[in-house]
Amino acid sequence: VFASLSVWGWGGLGVVLFLITFGPFAIFYLAFYIFCFVGGGFAVTLLFGKTNSEKHLEKCEHSYLPPTPTGIAKTLDELKQEIKPIKIDRRLTGSNIIDEPLQQVIQFALRDYIQYWYYTLSEEESFLLEIRQTVQNALVQFSTRSKEVDWQPYFTTRLVDDFATHLRIFRKAQERLNEKDDPKQRDAPEELLDAFFEAEVEMERKICRDMVCTSHKDEEGFLRDLCEVLLYLLLPPGDFHNKNMRYFLREILARGVLLPLINQLSDPDYINQFVIWMLRDSSCNYEAFMNILKLTDKPAELEAVKDKVLEELQYLRSLDTAGDDINVIKNQINSLLFVKKVCETRIQRLQSGKEVDALKLAASFGKLCIIPLDHILVHNIALQFFMDYMQQMGGQADLFFWLTVEGYRVTAQQQLEVMQSWQKDGKKQSSQTKGLLKAAALGVYEQYLSEKASPRVQVDEASLERLAEKLNKEDPTPEIFDDIQRKVYDMMLRDERFYPSFRQHPLYVRMLAELDMLKEPSYRGSDDGDVESFNGSPTGSINLSLDDLTSAATDESMQLHAFISDTGVCNDHGKTYALYAITVFRKNPDGSEDTWKTYRRYSDFHDFHMRITEQFENLNSILKLPGKKTFNNMDRDFLERRKKDLNAYLQLLLNPEMVKACPTLVPYVHDFLENKAYSKGKGDFARKMDTFVNPLRSSMRNVSNAVKSLPDSLAEGMTKMSDNMGRMSERLGQDIKQSIFKVPPLIPKSDIDPEHCRVSAQLDDNVDDNIPLRVMLLLMDEVFDLKERNQWLRRNIKNLLQQLIRATYGDTINRKIVDHVDFMTSPEQVADYVKRFRDSYWPNGILAETPPRRDKNIRMRTRVAAKTILLGIMPDELKHIIGADTTRKGILRVFDMFQHQQLNRRLAYVFLEGFLETMFPQYKFPELFIKLHSRSPRMRTFSQKVRSLQKR
């Protein structure tokens, strides 16, 4: 106890003495001093331990690792020096005019797609230089390979075949949709896509591109795989095996180049703008524009046109005009009001579901014009419909006999002319020629008139006996069948089963539509009782009535003289025509004389001639207008001859005796010679009718021309097959018979329907012929769906098309196509393509901004404009050969095909695949594409179906 007290006592005493000595705050100083002591000791311990540890580790490293080689130190010293710039060879294609813009494209692409983000990570230039060098190496390989490829077959055959096959698939898809009963299914875009890709599977049989065209994810995967294959072919092995470099370039190429390019090329609005740009020199035809408005089934297009019309009307009504300008403004307003009414009526019909077939409407309400039988028999389009009708009525034997006799007559005349020329030259082959003609005549008799003929032409026995007697006793002449042919013609003309009934048949209405002679009927277009007449003119009929003309008759003492003083060739928006300057002198009753010049085209003369001959029928036998020439009608000599003939025509019109005989003719002549724009009085329909019946304008003037053009016909057989002449008429008969059943002649049988294969599969590789021209004709066959025609007339149409092309380009059409391809792939043109690409993506060296999506109304008006231009550029000769309605349907089918973006993507990928297969023929790209497209469910389903059928 005492010990504990002593400890506490001494302790307390020490504290008291400490506080008395150092003061009350001494306790805090003591605690601070203790903390500093402990902290300082801890810091010294850490520093000492770190130093000793480093020394120990260094001793351990030197004890276990070999000494550093001198080369590494030298390398480190070199790295410390300044980095030398990498030298890049700027040569790419071997052509300076191409390399210069191409280098700019590479520079702009690296700047705008790589440098802008790379410099945020590093300032090292070597990576960018390596990227540029790699791109240039790939371009060099690409250029070298492209120079080794013959591109002519691709551009003249493969490219056209791909497009024609794509169009065939689209046509088959449309046919399948039209077979559906539900209108909503026919108009649904999804139904069209399904039908299209189903048809593609059936045609391609190994490939279906539906997933690539409809799924964005699958499309990107396809492009990545394809780009990786291209990089393998184009890059050096070292660069390709560098995964970072390969993946980097693959993504740039797939998602930065190919995908945006395909997006743009497949955009329907871009295609429509491109069509307008390509045909910018062509004038917009008013008739084509009105036809588009009346034929369109898209209310959005009509609404867009109507809105633009209202905008223009508001602008015109706001103008403050006076004098002559006000008349011009009024005419423009009337035209716009007419277009507005057409759009409103068409929209109302489409929305109300009252749209009816124009052919049925014309047959029910329109007054059909009458085409004589003799004109039908010499026109290839009209003959097609009459032939189909005669087949339905069982009278095909009569028609084919008439045509065969026409062919025999032409051939016999040709052979007799040749025989006469041989006799003049001293050659002795007349007996052989007579024998051949007799064999041909007997063939015609056996085919159609003998008791063995099936079917047999029904003719009275007396005529047959006279014909048989002539065949047995006399040498056959070109006119030997004329008597029976005349009777067959009279029978077809008067028999109620044939021509009279044909004029009341729907085929007759379709024929008029093809000939563009179908008068558009007037009908009530709205439910409120407004009567609307659609005659194609905003002011209605512009024919001058006889009363109006006679009321404006001039004094009899007035004398008029006129002559064509000059001829010139004008070019108006790409259309070339001849213009005739007419100098007119008029002597007035007061003795004064007026002189002026007026300018008229041949079509004005044509229209004027039709008007006066219709009013004064007796002029038909007196006035003869010079005929029109289809080709080379701008030739100087031809224009001089026509000028002379038209002058004679004018002088006959102005002859005083003519004026006395027809005094009411004077106002017509005065109106024609006035110094003003001539108003065509007959209108387009009447002129087309006159064009049809005018043999000089007809696309097939007589059947002899058709027979001459037939490849297996009697005419060609007479000149080429001397050893088998007895069967020539039989060949023609069989050829015509085949047309009855629409069986293509001379085509070997195949297990695959030609409709379910590519278009180029119809080319016969064994025929040494003009391949590019034949492929072009096959394309036209597909565009205008000529397979629906019977085979005899189909071959006529193809021959006429070939003659039309050759008349335009000459007999060297193949060489011209090849020369054009060479020109389009020349260094100058390639350099121009690169410059256009550079200027469009980088105008003034700056990356172009992504244009905003255009307004719907603007896109719809662009569609209407593109359709109008396409329809307006079709030449009249083509319409005369294949038919106006067929031409319109073919053009609009092609246009409609390009209005679906997924289908456009499919076409773009087909072109890309064909390009790569041509570029790298030694590699198995076709097999690669089959594998890349094997993900398609349709392809798997079709393969299973084929395997199941094979097992059966």
Side-chain angles (χ1 to χ4, degrees):
V1 177
F2 288 106
S4 61
L5 289 175
S6 61
V7 172
W8 282 104
W10 287 106
L13 178 63
V15 170
V16 172
L17 292 175
F18 179 82
L19 291 175
I20 293 173
T21 304
F22 297 102
F25 296 100
I27 187 64
F28 297 105
Y29 293 113
L30 177 64
F32 176 72
Y33 294 150
I34 294 173
F35 175 76
C36 290
F37 176 79
V38 174
F42 183 73
V44 171
T45 302
L46 286 178
L47 291 174
F48 180 77
K50 181 176 182 297
T51 304
N52 287 341
S53 298
E54 290 177 350
K55 291 180 179 180
H56 178 73
L57 289 175
E58 186 177 355
K59 290 179 181 180
C60 294
E61 182 180 359
H62 286 291
S63 61
Y64 292 107
L65 295 178
T68 304
T70 57
I72 295 179
K74 185 177 180 180
T75 303
L76 293 175
D77 293 337
E78 291 179 355
L79 290 175
K80 294 177 181 178
Q81 299 176 1
E82 183 179 358
I83 299 176
K84 297 180 180 179
I86 300 176
K87 294 183 179 180
I88 296 179
D89 189 355
R90 299 181 65 85
R91 293 176 297 178
L92 297 173
T93 64
S95 176
N96 292 331
I97 59 176
I98 301 177
D99 292 348
E100 182 179 352
L102 198 56
Q103 285 288 354
Q104 292 179 345
V105 170
I106 296 175
Q107 179 63 35
F108 292 155
L110 292 176
R111 180 195 67 189
D112 295 327
Y113 291 105
I114 298 178
Q115 290 180 4
Y116 83 95
W117 59 263
Y118 175 75
Y119 282 137
T120 62
L121 303 177
S122 173
E123 296 182 356
E124 188 68 37
E125 296 283 347
S126 59
F127 174 75
L128 297 176
L129 295 175
E130 291 292 342
I131 288 289
R132 183 174 190 133
Q133 185 64 53
T134 301
V135 172
Q136 291 193 176
N137 290 337
L139 289 175
V140 169
Q141 291 293 328
F142 182 86
S143 174
T144 303
R145 182 62 201 141
S146 63
K147 293 177 182 178
E148 299 173 356
V149 176
D150 182 11
W151 290 105
Q152 293 175 4
Y154 172 73
F155 285 107
T156 59
T157 304
R158 175 65 186 266
L159 195 69
V160 181
D161 173 50
D162 287 338
F163 178 81
T165 302
H166 184 81
L167 180 60
R168 173 176 289 185
I169 298 174
F170 179 75
R171 178 175 54 80
K172 292 178 68 65
Q174 283 187 321
E175 292 173 355
R176 293 185 181 184
L177 286 183
N178 292 334
E179 294 174 356
K180 296 187 176 182
D181 299 330
D182 189 358
K184 294 182 179 179
Q185 289 185 347
R186 290 199 298 265
D187 298 334
E190 298 80 9
E191 295 292 334
L192 177 63
L193 289 178
D194 290 340
F196 181 90
F197 288 112
E198 289 292 341
E200 182 191 23
V201 173
E202 296 175 1
M203 187 168 295
E204 298 284 357
R205 306 184 70 82
K206 294 182 179 180
I207 286 182
C208 183
R209 302 172 181 84
D210 55 346
M211 300 302 296
V212 174
C213 299
T214 57
S215 171
H216 186 70
K217 180 179 178 181
D218 288 301
E219 183 179 20
E220 288 187 351
F222 172 80
L223 289 176
R224 287 193 183 98
D225 294 339
L226 185 59
C227 290
E228 193 149 353
V229 174
L230 292 177
L231 292 176
Y232 172 77
L233 298 176
L234 298 175
L235 291 181
D239 291 339
F240 178 78
H241 292 297
N242 184 339
K243 289 187 177 181
N244 293 333
M245 176 73 73
R246 184 171 81 240
Y247 293 159
F248 182 77
L249 291 178
R250 184 192 69 180
E251 291 300 313
I252 291 179
L253 186 60
R255 302 191 61 181
V257 178
L258 290 180
L259 190 58
L261 181 62
I262 291 175
N263 286 337
Q264 184 174 18
L265 294 179
S266 62
D267 183 13
D269 187 51
Y270 174 81
I271 296 175
N272 296 336
Q273 294 179 66
F274 184 76
V275 168
I276 296 174
W277 178 81
M278 285 289 293
L279 304 175
R280 59 191 179 278
D281 294 332
S282 302
S283 59
C284 288
N285 186 287
Y286 172 79
E287 180 185 2
F289 175 67
M290 297 308 301
N291 282 335
I292 291 299
L293 294 183
K294 295 173 185 178
L295 293 173
T296 183
D297 56 353
K298 305 294 182 185
E301 295 180 2
L302 297 167
E303 291 286 357
V305 174
K306 177 185 171 184
D307 292 343
K308 189 64 177 178
V309 167
L310 293 176
E311 180 182 334
E312 291 294 324
L313 283 172
Q314 184 178 2
Y315 169 74
L316 291 175
R317 286 166 175 165
S318 66
L319 295 178
D320 186 12
T321 58
D324 295 336
D325 292 339
I326 194 171
N327 295 326
V328 176
I329 298 299
K330 286 182 178 179
N331 290 336
Q332 293 178 354
I333 290 176
N334 289 336
S335 298
L336 290 173
L337 288 173
F338 174 74
V339 174
K340 173 176 171 289
K341 197 65 176 178
V342 171
C343 292
E344 290 175 345
T345 303
R346 183 69 177 160
I347 292 171
Q348 182 180 358
R349 285 187 169 276
L350 290 174
Q351 292 178 347
S352 63
K354 296 180 180 179
E355 181 64 18
V356 295
D357 189 355
L359 298 181
K360 294 180 180 178
L361 192 66
S364 301
F365 301 102
K367 183 179 179 181
L368 303 179
C369 64
I370 298 175
I371 308 297
L373 178 60
D374 55 340
H375 292 149
I376 292 176
L377 294 176
V378 298
H379 194 283
N380 61 321
I381 297 175
L383 181 59
Q384 170 207 341
F385 291 97
F386 188 61
M387 189 178 290
D388 290 341
Y389 174 78
M390 293 294 284
Q391 175 188 340
Q392 295 179 12
M393 302 306 296
Q396 64 270 25
D398 302 314
L399 176 59
F400 293 154
F401 169 76
W402 191 93
L403 296 172
T404 306
V405 170
E406 285 292 307
Y408 168 81
R409 181 187 299 108
V410 172
T411 303
Q413 290 173 351
Q414 290 176 343
Q415 293 302 310
L416 291 176
E417 290 174 1
V418 172
M419 185 180 68
Q420 292 174 0
S421 64
W422 284 345
Q423 290 176 349
K424 291 180 181 179
D425 296 337
K427 298 179 181 180
K428 298 181 179 180
Q429 295 187 4
S430 59
S431 59
Q432 180 182 2
T433 302
K434 292 180 180 178
L436 296 177
L437 288 176
K438 187 170 185 178
L442 288 173
V444 174
Y445 178 83
E446 293 291 335
Q447 185 73 35
Y448 294 102
L449 301 173
S450 67
E451 295 180 356
K452 299 178 181 179
S454 177
R456 185 186 183 189
V457 176
Q458 300 299 323
V459 187
D460 61 281
E461 292 298 329
S463 299
L464 289 178
E465 291 176 0
R466 287 195 298 270
L467 175 62
E469 185 177 356
K470 290 181 181 179
L471 289 174
N472 293 328
K473 296 182 179 181
E474 302 176 7
D475 291 332
T477 62
E479 299 81 15
I480 192 171
F481 293 102
D482 282 5
D483 182 48
I484 295 180
Q485 186 191 31
R486 193 178 303 108
K487 293 182 178 181
V488 171
Y489 175 84
D490 291 339
M491 179 193 60
M492 291 190 296
L493 179 65
R494 293 179 172 82
D495 194 322
E496 286 295 331
R497 297 175 300 163
F498 301 141
Y499 176 70
S501 297
F502 174 63
R503 286 170 45 189
Q504 310 298 324
H505 197 271
L507 283 173
Y508 187 79
V509 182
R510 289 181 54 195
M511 180 191 73
L512 295 180
E514 290 288 4
L515 298 173
D516 214 9
M517 297 177 190
L518 193 61
K519 293 182 180 178
E520 187 149 6
S522 298
Y523 54 87
R524 303 189 180 275
S526 58
D527 297 334
D528 56 4
D530 292 338
V531 179
E532 300 169 10
S533 176
F534 288 83
N535 53 15
S537 172
T539 57
S541 177
I542 56 177
N543 291 340
L544 294 174
S545 67
L546 188 59
D547 295 336
D548 295 336
L549 289 172
T550 53
S551 63
T554 58
D555 195 312
E556 291 183 0
S557 60
M558 185 180 298
Q559 297 181 3
L560 201 65
H561 302 281
F563 67 94
I564 299 177
S565 56
D566 195 12
T567 305
V569 177
C570 299
N571 190 299
D572 184 14
H573 298 287
K575 291 189 176 182
T576 305
Y577 56 87
L579 200 63
Y580 300 92
I582 306 175
T583 302
V584 185
F585 301 93
R586 181 174 63 191
K587 188 174 182 180
N588 299 318
D590 57 1
S592 62
E593 188 175 89
D594 298 330
T595 304
W596 68 86
K597 277 191 177 183
T598 188
Y599 298 89
R600 295 289 180 259
R601 297 175 57 177
Y602 175 82
S603 60
D604 299 331
F605 278 95
H606 187 194
D607 183 271
F608 171 72
H609 178 76
M610 292 175 57
R611 293 170 62 187
I612 62 176
T613 52
E614 183 179 289
Q615 292 290 340
F616 312 98
E617 295 182 359
N618 57 334
L619 293 180
N620 277 317
S621 59
I622 303 174
L623 289 174
K624 298 297 181 184
L625 184 70
K628 185 170 183 179
K629 186 178 180 183
T630 304
F631 301 113
N632 298 324
N633 52 11
M634 295 295 112
D635 181 70
R636 191 65 192 175
D637 294 336
F638 170 75
L639 292 179
E640 287 297 326
R641 291 195 302 271
R642 177 179 279 179
K643 171 186 171 183
K644 181 180 178 181
D645 295 338
L646 290 176
N647 256 326
Y649 180 85
L650 275 178
Q651 301 314 312
L652 183 60
L653 269 178
L654 299 172
N655 189 292
E657 298 298 328
M658 177 74 73
V659 175
K660 290 181 181 179
C662 300
T664 54
L665 178 64
V666 174
Y668 288 89
V669 179
H670 282 206
D671 179 69
F672 180 73
L673 295 177
E674 281 292 334
N675 186 17
K676 63 178 182 179
Y678 179 63
S679 299
K680 290 181 170 62
K682 294 303 296 180
D684 289 337
F685 170 79
R687 286 195 299 279
K688 288 168 185 171
M689 179 63 190
D690 187 71
T691 294
F692 169 69
V693 301
N694 184 353
L696 294 174
R697 183 69 182 270
S698 179
S699 63
M700 180 175 152
R701 293 173 176 83
N702 48 52
V703 175
S704 65
N705 288 339
V707 176
K708 291 176 186 177
S709 65
L710 283 176
D712 301 311
S713 67
L714 178 61
E716 190 171 351
M718 288 291 277
T719 58
K720 293 184 179 179
M721 301 174 60
S722 59
D723 295 333
N724 198 18
M725 300 306 292
R727 300 190 203 170
M728 288 182 302
S729 59
E730 183 179 355
R731 273 181 180 273
L732 182 60
Q734 293 297 332
D735 183 49
I736 295 176
K737 273 191 172 183
Q738 286 172 336
S739 68
I740 300 175
F741 305 103
K742 299 188 178 182
V743 178
L746 304 180
I747 296 180
K749 293 182 179 180
S750 173
D751 296 334
I752 301 176
D753 185 356
E755 279 289 291
H756 291 82
C757 63
R758 296 182 65 87
V759 173
S760 62
Q762 302 176 37
L763 285 174
D764 187 358
D765 296 333
N766 297 324
V767 178
D768 184 16
D769 197 2
N770 209 323
I771 295 297
L773 178 58
R774 289 163 61 200
V775 174
M776 288 178 60
L777 292 175
L778 285 175
L779 173 62
M780 297 189 73
D781 191 357
E782 200 61 42
V783 170
F784 300 110
D785 200 12
L786 301 182
K787 292 174 291 300
E788 294 299 319
R789 312 295 180 91
N790 56 66
Q791 295 299 317
W792 188 64
L793 286 172
R794 182 186 174 191
R795 285 205 304 277
N796 282 341
I797 291 173
K798 284 195 172 183
N799 289 329
L800 288 169
L801 288 174
Q802 188 166 349
Q803 293 171 13
L804 174 63
I805 295 174
R806 282 182 172 167
T808 306
Y809 297 101
D811 293 331
T812 58
I813 177 66
N814 186 48
R815 180 165 56 82
K816 285 187 175 291
I817 293 174
V818 171
D819 290 344
H820 185 68
V821 171
D822 289 339
F823 171 74
M824 298 299 291
T825 55
S826 63
E828 293 79 8
Q829 287 298 308
V830 174
D832 185 63
Y833 304 150
V834 177
K835 290 177 182 178
R836 290 175 183 269
F837 175 79
R838 177 199 63 192
D839 295 339
S840 61
Y841 275 81
W842 290 278
N844 299 320
I846 302 174
L847 181 64
E849 297 181 359
T850 302
R853 185 171 175 81
R854 303 201 310 164
D855 180 73
K856 181 181 179 182
N857 281 350
I858 297 178
R859 287 186 280 116
M860 291 298 105
R861 287 196 292 270
T862 304
R863 283 172 57 119
V864 174
K867 282 194 287 187
T868 301
I869 293 179
L870 285 174
L871 204 60
I873 64 170
M874 287 297 102
D876 291 337
E877 288 79 10
L878 183 63
K879 297 178 182 178
H880 295 158
I881 292 173
I882 64 177
D885 193 53
T886 298
T887 303
R888 281 193 294 267
K889 289 180 179 178
I891 295 300
L892 294 180
R893 181 187 296 116
V894 174
F895 180 84
D896 291 340
M897 181 185 71
F898 283 115
Q899 304 311 305
H900 304 276
Q901 187 164 11
Q902 292 90 342
L903 305 189
N904 295 339
R905 301 183 88 85
R906 189 260 177 194
L907 184 60
Y909 282 117
V910 168
F911 286 161
L912 178 61
E913 292 170 10
F915 176 83
L916 294 177
E917 291 176 17
T918 306
M919 185 81 172
F920 304 99
Q922 69 273 31
Y923 300 103
K924 299 180 179 180
F925 266 99
E927 289 81 354
L928 173 66
F929 290 131
I930 291 175
K931 292 180 181 179
L932 292 179
H933 293 297
S934 61
R935 304 185 185 97
S936 170
R938 285 188 177 89
M939 193 66 249
R940 291 196 293 268
T941 303
F942 181 78
S943 300
Q944 294 174 359
K945 180 180 178 181
V946 171
R947 285 195 295 268
S948 62
L949 292 176
Q950 290 176 349
K951 291 180 181 179
R952 295 179 184 177

